[in-house]
Structures are given as structure tokens and as C-alpha cells.
């Protein structure tokens, strides 16, 4: 259940953030989310978020 909830949050985060910002008059021109793999042995997984204003 926790995994499903986390996946749902990740999938809907973009539209939720855009809706929140639009309601408050904030504008962000470009948002990119990309998975990353790193660490000395390639054993760390994460997300990179790039925001263009």
C-alpha cells in the first residue's frame, strides 16, 4: 500500500504543483524530473528536479 501511494504521489505531483501555483498566481516555465543513479558502486537511486523560472 505504501509503494502504491508513493507511486501515485510521484505521478500526480506535477499536475498538483501546477494547480497549486496557478491558484496562487505563481508561474514556472519549465519543470523536469528525471531518475538518477549514483554512488561509488551505483547503488543509490533518486530523483533530480530541474526548475526553470
Amino acid at each position: 500500500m505504501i509503494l502504491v501511494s508513493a507511486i501515485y504521489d510521484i505521478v500526480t505531483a506535477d499536475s498538483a504543483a501546477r494547480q497549486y501555483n496557478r491558484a496562487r498566481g505563481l508561474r514556472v516555465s519549465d519543470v523536469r524530473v528525471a531518475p538518477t543513479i549514483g554512488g561509488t558502486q551505483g547503488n543509490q537511486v533518486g530523483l533530480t528536479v530541474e526548475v526553470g523560472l
Side-chain angles (χ1 to χ4, degrees):
M1 190 65 174
I2 293 172
L3 179 61
V4 172
S5 177
I7 291 170
Y8 176 81
D9 288 344
I10 291 169
V11 169
T12 61
D14 183 50
S15 62
R18 289 181 191 275
Q19 183 180 11
Y20 178 90
N21 290 340
R22 195 176 309 118
R24 285 153 184 79
L26 303 172
R27 299 181 69 187
V28 175
S29 63
D30 191 22
V31 176
R32 293 185 196 123
V33 178
T36 57
I37 298 175
T40 56
Q41 298 176 356
N43 57 354
Q44 297 174 343
V45 179
L47 292 174
T48 299
V49 178
E50 295 179 13
V51 178
L53 303 174

